[in-house]
Amino acid sequence: NAMKKLLLIFSLILSVCASAQIDKIVPARPSPPRLVNDYTGTLSAEQLDALERKLVTYDDSTSNQFAVVIIPTVGDYTVDEVALKILRNWGVGNKDKNNGLVILVAKDDHRMKIEIGYGLEGAIPDVTAKHIIDEEITPAFKQDNYYRGLDEGTDALIKAAAGEYKAPANYGSKKFKKPSIGTIIFI
């Protein structure tokens, strides 16, 4: 019984330490709140403002909230873990509808993730998010045009949320699937 208590205390300490480590990677929630957050200096002030205006207008008209976050690296974590932590920690989306979405770009790692709240999963399944990354965002990123990739990617996500954008029926059904749908390496 004493051994069980000791193991429980040890596992609690480990989980607190692990949480503290990921919090070094996940930026603090912006204050005042912003939907477009570039911690790498990749986007110009004009590009940041244009994306911000588009996403705020979309949030105001639908209550679906999309956040764009560009960080240098996810460190020892996966883009999936960091994107989910941002979605939860920042409270992206309406609390009742859980209709938030985070586009996370780990620029130095060449990794990206679209993390979708439960309220949007019906409209934007993982296969659609992956298709948007592959077809709308990555080609522009490969040309070093991050703004165009994010602008066209958010346009496609807005269409998907409205039911106007679908991945092809057989998309992602190749014999060897990538380890994580919605994640891509852009080189």
Side-chain angles (χ1 to χ4, degrees), residues 88-121:
R88 288 179 176 164
N89 283 14
W90 290 17
V92 180
N94 180 299
K95 192 175 183 180
D96 298 325
K97 295 181 182 174
N98 200 358
N99 58 346
L101 177 150
V102 170
I103 302 170
L104 174 66
V105 177
K107 190 177 176 190
D108 297 347
D109 300 335
H110 302 286
R111 297 202 175 267
M112 185 184 344
K113 171 72 178 176
I114 297 174
E115 187 66 46
I116 302 155
Y118 296 122
L120 285 173
E121 280 181 348

Side-chain angles (χ1 to χ4, degrees), residues 55-127:
L55 296 181
V56 166
T57 300
Y58 177 64
D59 182 9
D60 289 346
S61 64
T62 64
S63 89
N64 293 337
Q65 193 173 72
F66 295 178
V68 175
V69 183
I70 307 172
I71 60 175
T73 181
V74 291
D76 295 330
Y77 298 93
T78 66
V79 285
D80 301 63
E81 290 170 315
V82 175
L84 181 60
K85 189 86 168 158
I86 290 170
L87 183 74
R88 288 179 176 164
N89 283 14
W90 290 17
V92 180
N94 180 299
K95 192 175 183 180
D96 298 325
K97 295 181 182 174
N98 200 358
N99 58 346
L101 177 150
V102 170
I103 302 170
L104 174 66
V105 177
K107 190 177 176 190
D108 297 347
D109 300 335
H110 302 286
R111 297 202 175 267
M112 185 184 344
K113 171 72 178 176
I114 297 174
E115 187 66 46
I116 302 155
Y118 296 122
L120 285 173
E121 280 181 348
I124 311 173
D126 280 347
V127 68

Side-chain angles (χ1 to χ4, degrees), residues 19-182:
S19 180
Q21 293 301 315
I22 198 167
D23 287 338
K24 290 178 183 173
I25 301 290
V26 174
R29 185 177 183 189
S31 181
R34 282 187 61 87
L35 294 177
V36 183
N37 300 272
D38 178 6
Y39 298 95
T40 62
T42 299
L43 302 177
S44 71
E46 294 81 12
Q47 292 169 337
L48 284 167
D49 287 343
L51 266 179
E52 181 76 19
R53 278 195 309 273
K54 175 168 75 170
L55 296 181
V56 166
T57 300
Y58 177 64
D59 182 9
D60 289 346
S61 64
T62 64
S63 89
N64 293 337
Q65 193 173 72
F66 295 178
V68 175
V69 183
I70 307 172
I71 60 175
T73 181
V74 291
D76 295 330
Y77 298 93
T78 66
V79 285
D80 301 63
E81 290 170 315
V82 175
L84 181 60
K85 189 86 168 158
I86 290 170
L87 183 74
R88 288 179 176 164
N89 283 14
W90 290 17
V92 180
N94 180 299
K95 192 175 183 180
D96 298 325
K97 295 181 182 174
N98 200 358
N99 58 346
L101 177 150
V102 170
I103 302 170
L104 174 66
V105 177
K107 190 177 176 190
D108 297 347
D109 300 335
H110 302 286
R111 297 202 175 267
M112 185 184 344
K113 171 72 178 176
I114 297 174
E115 187 66 46
I116 302 155
Y118 296 122
L120 285 173
E121 280 181 348
I124 311 173
D126 280 347
V127 68
T128 300
K130 180 173 179 5
H131 189 263
I132 289 169
I133 288 173
D134 290 349
E135 302 299 323
E136 311 291 337
I137 301 175
T138 300
F141 279 20
K142 285 182 176 177
Q143 297 172 352
D144 241 10
N145 193 335
Y146 286 83
Y147 173 72
R148 193 181 89 221
L150 292 168
D151 189 41
E152 292 176 0
T154 51
D155 284 347
L157 287 163
I158 287 168
K159 286 179 184 168
E164 298 164 9
Y165 184 109
K166 297 259 190 287
N170 63 348
Y171 190 78
S173 64
K174 294 180 181 77
K175 193 172 183 182
F176 298 105
K177 288 188 178 180
K178 291 188 169 89
S180 173
I181 292 175

